[in-house]
Amino acid sequence: MLPDNRDVSYLQKMGRAVYSGMSSSDANAIWVMQNWLFVHEIIFWTPERAKALLTSVPQGKMLVLDLQSEQHPQYNRFHSYYGQPFIWCMLHDFGGTLGMFGSLYTINAEVSKARLQVNGTMVGSGITPEGINQNYILYDFMSEVSWRTEPTDLTIWVAKYALRRYGKENAMAIKSWQILKDTVYNFTSIIPMRGKYAITRRPSTRITTWIWYDPCDLLQAWKFLLQASQDLRTSSAYLTDLTDLTRQVLQVLGDQYYKKLKQHFRLKKRELFQQTATTFLDIFHDMENVLRSNEAFLLGKWLSAAKNFASLNGETLLEEEKLYEYNARNQITLWGPNGEINDYACKQWSGMVSDYYHERWFLFVTSMNESLVQNVPFREAAVVKRVFKEIEEPFTFSRKAYPEYASGDTVLIAQELMEKWWPKQHCRFERANDFNLRDIFEIRPTVIVVK
């Protein structure tokens, strides 16, 4: 929402009026303001207009949250908010979507740089999340930043992170995390990435997918982490990370085969389209299988938690239970009765993959194939309406129960999927060591040997 008037004097009066209302109730009031208006309406909020608003409040009586400093910082554009103190914030995720990515290098460099700015007004660092149960390394690292006065050596930090997370030293796990540090966690673009993956998007022939790293690096990290299984498989954190990394590999494969699917369809290569469609849909089955093996990725736990609110003195209130379950399902799918914020909080969970994402794409791909076989135009808009009426909306009203406990051996499943998918990617290299474990830990050669 934009102000009715663009004039700087109006904006200054508006700011004074807001703060006057606060201070009339509390003389010590401090206006804590998110800077999202400056990001979302960047054309309107020129430096001149922003200065009028920011300086309308006595200096020190406004605290600005630079909401997504790792991707859309505004403190430089507005000269440290013209004297008002601000907090450097990481807004890593929207909607609690899954997908491995982050900006470790940016955070490491820019927080310290902002703190040391001449005449800078940064007073702290913070996290502004919309769901934190994913990409744990980012939140771990950001939580430490407040205690540092300068950037840290990320190679050493990541190696020690693996030690803390798994409770013991393992060379293969550390090698895996070093690759992830330099690839999925070295995101520097301003393009929105959260949840923008073919597998979790409403089916379309116009989806654009991309990644900023070599998929072979991701597979190499997967291979190294899997090689740590004999030593670390009793660690719940390790099994969660192995599940997540396997899921990430399949997510990237899904993007790759979606691109091939579009190409074969556009060129009307029916047999190639059908072969690719079979492989693409098979990815959903594999993802469901590995997600089912870890309790951190179960739809059933989410739905059960929602339904448990519908009890009074131990007695379940059925109508309330239905309402809470509907809202829990709707939030992670349509987010609104008609898909007003569709897929905003999409979740790659067991149950979601099999009964929602796969079913949407199966209907869509089957319809594409029918148009090729019958040599008739593909009426995409009509098919998307069917997706909503036959898959999406019914899912939100469904009462189907899903497991709350994991089943299957994560390590065994990951090994089987490695054997299945690795040969298809033509990755034939071993990433060179870019660190020396003995510089990080005092490790005897008889315990761990890095090759």
Side-chain angles (χ1 to χ4, degrees), residues 356-390:
Y356 194 75
Y357 302 128
H358 173 269
E359 295 303 287
R360 292 199 301 189
W361 275 108
F362 180 80
L363 190 156
F364 193 82
V365 169
T366 300
S367 299
M368 293 173 76
N369 184 58
E370 289 173 356
S371 77
L372 289 178
V373 172
Q374 298 171 14
N375 195 27
V376 296
F378 177 55
R379 303 189 183 283
E380 183 167 341
V383 175
V384 170
K385 287 183 179 179
R386 286 185 59 200
V387 167
F388 175 77
K389 285 296 183 181
E390 297 177 28

Side-chain angles (χ1 to χ4, degrees), residues 413-432:
I413 294 169
Q415 287 172 339
E416 292 172 349
L417 294 178
M418 172 76 71
E419 293 170 3
K420 176 179 179 178
W421 291 105
W422 181 278
K424 299 178 187 292
Q425 296 305 298
H426 308 293
C427 296
R428 299 287 186 268
F429 68 92
E430 290 285 331
R431 183 182 170 97

Side-chain angles (χ1 to χ4, degrees), residues 18-298:
V18 171
Y19 184 72
S20 176
M22 293 181 179
S23 58
S24 64
S25 298
D26 183 353
N28 297 315
I30 294 178
W31 182 353
V32 180
M33 185 177 74
Q34 294 185 1
N35 79 334
W36 207 239
L37 69 165
F38 302 136
V39 177
H40 195 259
E41 300 292 350
I42 194 169
I43 295 176
F44 177 89
W45 288 106
T46 62
E48 184 183 29
R49 292 185 187 129
K51 184 177 182 179
L53 176 63
L54 292 164
T55 58
S56 67
V57 177
Q59 197 168 96
K61 291 297 184 178
M62 176 183 282
L63 177 62
V64 182
L65 303 182
D66 198 84
L67 213 62
Q68 195 177 19
S69 305
E70 82 280 18
Q71 201 167 1
H72 296 289
Q74 300 297 303
Y75 55 88
N76 285 324
R77 191 161 77 96
F78 298 137
H79 305 285
S80 282
Y81 293 103
Y82 303 104
Q84 297 291 13
F86 75 92
I87 295 177
W88 199 105
C89 297
M90 178 188 78
L91 205 177
H92 169 259
D93 194 276
F94 291 86
T97 58
L98 299 185
M100 297 177 74
F101 82 98
S103 305
L104 276 178
Y105 281 90
T106 299
I107 294 168
N108 190 39
E110 296 303 320
V111 173
S112 298
K113 189 183 296 184
R115 184 181 286 118
L116 298 175
Q117 275 187 331
V118 176
N119 297 322
T121 57
M122 174 182 163
V123 294
S125 59
I127 300 174
T128 48
E130 283 191 9
I132 61 175
N133 296 318
Q134 34 71 38
N135 290 287
Y136 301 102
I137 188 172
L138 265 295
Y139 298 88
D140 193 311
F141 185 74
M142 189 65 202
S143 297
E144 288 189 12
V145 163
S146 297
W147 306 100
R148 295 200 189 93
T149 57
E150 59 185 17
T152 190
D153 185 320
L154 284 176
T155 297
I156 294 175
W157 187 90
V158 166
K160 292 184 176 180
Y161 170 80
L163 168 61
R164 293 197 310 273
R165 185 153 175 80
Y166 304 141
K168 62 193 306 186
E169 301 154 359
N170 183 279
M172 292 300 103
I174 293 172
K175 288 175 73 173
S176 175
W177 277 105
Q178 295 298 340
I179 296 175
L180 295 175
K181 171 202 68 177
D182 294 333
T183 54
V184 295
Y185 293 117
N186 190 17
F187 181 72
T188 58
S189 175
I190 62 171
I191 299 174
M193 275 299 297
R194 300 152 189 84
K196 307 295 185 181
Y197 320 114
I199 280 179
T200 54
R201 297 283 296 276
R202 174 181 278 170
S204 168
T205 59
R206 295 181 294 276
I207 295 173
T208 300
T209 63
W210 68 281
I211 55 175
W212 57 98
Y213 52 88
D214 187 338
C216 285
D217 282 339
L218 183 68
L219 266 73
Q220 191 71 58
W222 184 34
K223 180 179 180 181
F224 284 151
L225 193 62
L226 187 53
Q227 287 174 343
S229 62
Q230 185 173 356
D231 194 30
L232 300 179
R233 66 181 303 151
T234 58
S235 164
S236 60
Y238 169 78
L239 293 176
T240 296
D241 290 346
L242 181 60
T243 303
D244 197 31
L245 186 49
T246 305
R247 177 210 53 74
Q248 181 73 16
V249 168
L250 294 171
Q251 170 189 293
V252 171
L253 291 175
D255 286 350
Q256 290 180 353
Y257 281 95
Y258 168 76
K259 291 179 182 178
K260 294 179 182 179
L261 200 68
K262 282 201 306 182
Q263 181 182 28
H264 297 327
F265 181 75
R266 179 173 56 82
L267 297 176
K268 299 185 183 299
K269 295 183 177 181
R270 189 176 70 186
E271 290 187 4
L272 285 175
F273 174 84
Q274 292 170 345
Q275 293 170 9
T276 304
T278 299
T279 304
F280 177 67
L281 293 172
D282 192 35
I283 292 171
F284 291 82
H285 296 300
D286 287 345
M287 184 179 286
E288 172 70 21
N289 197 23
V290 72
L291 294 175
R292 191 188 303 126
S293 71
N294 192 284
E295 291 192 8
F297 301 90
L298 300 181

Side-chain angles (χ1 to χ4, degrees), residues 300-313:
K301 294 179 73 69
W302 169 261
L303 297 181
S304 178
K307 290 186 287 186
N308 285 342
F309 281 105
S311 62
L312 181 64
N313 298 324

